[in-house]
Amino acid sequence: MNTFNVPGKIYFKDGSAGVALRELTEIYHYKRVLIITGAASYAGGTASGIMNMLEKNGLSVAEYLVENAPVTTGDLRAAVQKLREFEPDAVIGIGAGEIMNAAKLLRILGENTEIDPCDLAGIEAAAAVYAGGGNRKCMLVLMPTSFGDGAQNTSFAAVSDEEGLHYLKGIRFIPEMTVTDAQFVKGKSPEAVKDEAGQLLGLAVRAFLNNESCEYTDGLLTEAIFSVLRYREAAAAGRPSALEKLHNASTIAGSTFSNIYTDGAALQDSSLPAGDELSEEAAEKLDRLAEEYGCSGGTEFMELLTR
């Protein structure tokens, strides 16, 4: 690793979505926005609330609902015609990880009209080409409604076809803006909070113990891991400030994943690593993390992680 790539701007605060969206008109003077979302975000009112904000700011808004999780090449083929006809200035993804993936892929397809939605190699090749602000055709804004995987801040995208699930990687999958607004995670059931917190914890611990993690990622992952441990119970009980901490932890951890892994398939395993999986170096690193948190060693810390 010789670069550290993250979104150009990361908004994080309860209620920050409105401020972030005003940039589209006040700074960039955009006219058209395409919303990519799913049934849950649409039915729950999150997506419609964002659409109302955009329309009040004078933007023309269209939407596309992704039907499958993970997103399929069939979804992309159905959406891309609408995207190319509408010619949006920005694509905004609102939802969980699969929606983040869909928005990343559709931005690339909107900018590269010669690529067939089923041509995964073509999509990845286009996503690997850096285009600065002056050459950007379409801005990507991601607004997560879950805190399980930090997908909004990675350079990975996942898509499935008849051959299975494929992970693609490219610098253009990293959005220009992400919005971590705690309003989007309020009202989650205790079970959903526990599931997403457990997924995030497993991903963050595995990334921290990976031999490609370094000083640029260790501090962020430590903060994310400790936040989950400190606030998961209060978040499951519905405390807004604790939910905000977990939402932030997801964005923080997600910022590291594509700077550690070369293949997004590594993010399919969110289980906590067993002791016999760890190399001697990883075990020593876990011990140091445990001591920093106040535990006597890695064994006690792992017991805490699995509660």
Side-chain angles (χ1 to χ4, degrees), residues 1 3-10 107 130 140 142 150-155 170-178 216-217 220 250-260:
M1 175 174 58
T3 59
F4 186 79
N5 296 306
V6 292
K9 183 172 289 188
I10 301 171
R107 189 264 282 272
Y130 175 75
L140 179 62
L142 297 181
Q152 67 275 9
N153 276 27
T154 74
S155 60
I171 191 71
R172 290 290 282 156
F173 287 143
I174 298 177
E176 283 73 28
M177 181 191 298
T178 61
Y216 282 86
T217 58
L220 294 174
S250 176
T251 293
I252 291 167
S255 298
T256 72
F257 294 151
S258 52
N259 293 288
I260 293 173

Side-chain angles (χ1 to χ4, degrees), residues 100-182:
M100 305 294 97
N101 289 323
K104 292 175 184 182
L105 292 158
L106 286 167
R107 189 264 282 272
I108 298 300
L109 290 167
E111 291 184 330
N112 299 272
T113 57
E114 75 284 358
I115 298 177
D116 186 280
C118 295
D119 182 6
L120 302 185
I123 292 173
E124 187 166 44
V129 177
Y130 175 75
N135 298 319
R136 185 179 61 208
K137 296 180 181 178
C138 182
M139 187 178 189
L140 179 62
V141 179
L142 297 181
M143 310 178 80
T145 61
S146 67
F147 44 76
D149 57 17
Q152 67 275 9
N153 276 27
T154 74
S155 60
F156 298 120
V159 58
S160 67
D161 61 15
E162 62 278 2
E163 296 180 0
L165 184 64
H166 307 270
Y167 276 92
L168 312 180
K169 184 174 184 179
I171 191 71
R172 290 290 282 156
F173 287 143
I174 298 177
E176 283 73 28
M177 181 191 298
T178 61
V179 182
T180 306
D181 189 334

Side-chain angles (χ1 to χ4, degrees), residues 15-95:
S16 61
V19 176
L21 294 174
R22 283 202 298 273
E23 280 199 18
L24 302 185
T25 52
E26 295 177 1
I27 296 178
Y28 298 106
H29 309 294
Y30 287 163
K31 303 297 184 183
R32 296 179 301 280
V33 171
L34 178 64
I35 300 292
I36 307 298
T37 191
S41 294
Y42 197 83
T46 302
S48 59
I50 295 301
M51 291 169 66
N52 289 337
M53 286 185 195
L54 292 167
E55 289 171 345
K56 286 180 180 178
N57 290 341
L59 287 151
S60 177
V61 182
E63 77 279 351
Y64 182 80
L65 269 65
V66 177
E67 295 183 1
N68 299 292
V71 63
T72 67
T73 52
D75 289 320
L76 298 181
R77 187 180 290 279
V80 74
Q81 183 176 355
K82 183 172 186 177
L83 183 150
R84 290 171 179 171
E85 289 174 354
F86 188 61
E87 295 184 340
D89 300 305
V91 168
I92 301 180
I94 305 169

